[in-house]
Amino acid sequence: MTKADLVAKIAEKADTTKANAERALNAFLEAVEATLVKEGKLTLTGFGTFVVEERKERTGRNPRTGGAITIPACKVVKFRPGKLLKEAVK
């Protein structure tokens, strides 16, 4: 599903225009991003939890040459689905 597909589905479910649905989706995504940057965790009860975690520096392999390379430490966002989402997907 693309963002355009999601906007169309939101517009249909909320009985609103695609423009309004896109503004709402963009506002939601911006709020999620700002929360993760500021607090590092966002919980949507029943849906799941987004968490920012730190990956340590590690050694990897260059697939082209086979030589060892150092992959620098970085932050990544992980998602853990909630109970209701897990049950809905089953």
Side-chain angles (χ1 to χ4, degrees), residues 13-62:
K13 291 268 187 184
D15 193 30
T16 187
T17 65
K18 286 185 180 181
N20 286 341
E22 185 170 11
R23 280 194 292 276
L25 179 59
N26 287 336
F28 171 76
L29 294 175
E30 288 171 12
V32 168
E33 180 181 341
T35 302
L36 289 174
V37 167
K38 184 177 179 184
E39 299 175 23
K41 184 176 182 181
L42 173 68
T43 301
L44 300 171
T45 304
F47 183 73
T49 303
F50 295 91
V51 180
V52 176
E53 293 184 354
E54 183 79 26
R55 275 196 187 156
K56 296 179 183 177
E57 184 178 277
R58 59 198 192 278
T59 302
R61 294 268 171 215
N62 181 333

Side-chain angles (χ1 to χ4, degrees), residues 1-10:
M1 176 179 269
T2 65
K3 185 175 179 182
D5 295 336
L6 183 57
V7 166
K9 185 150 310 246
I10 291 170

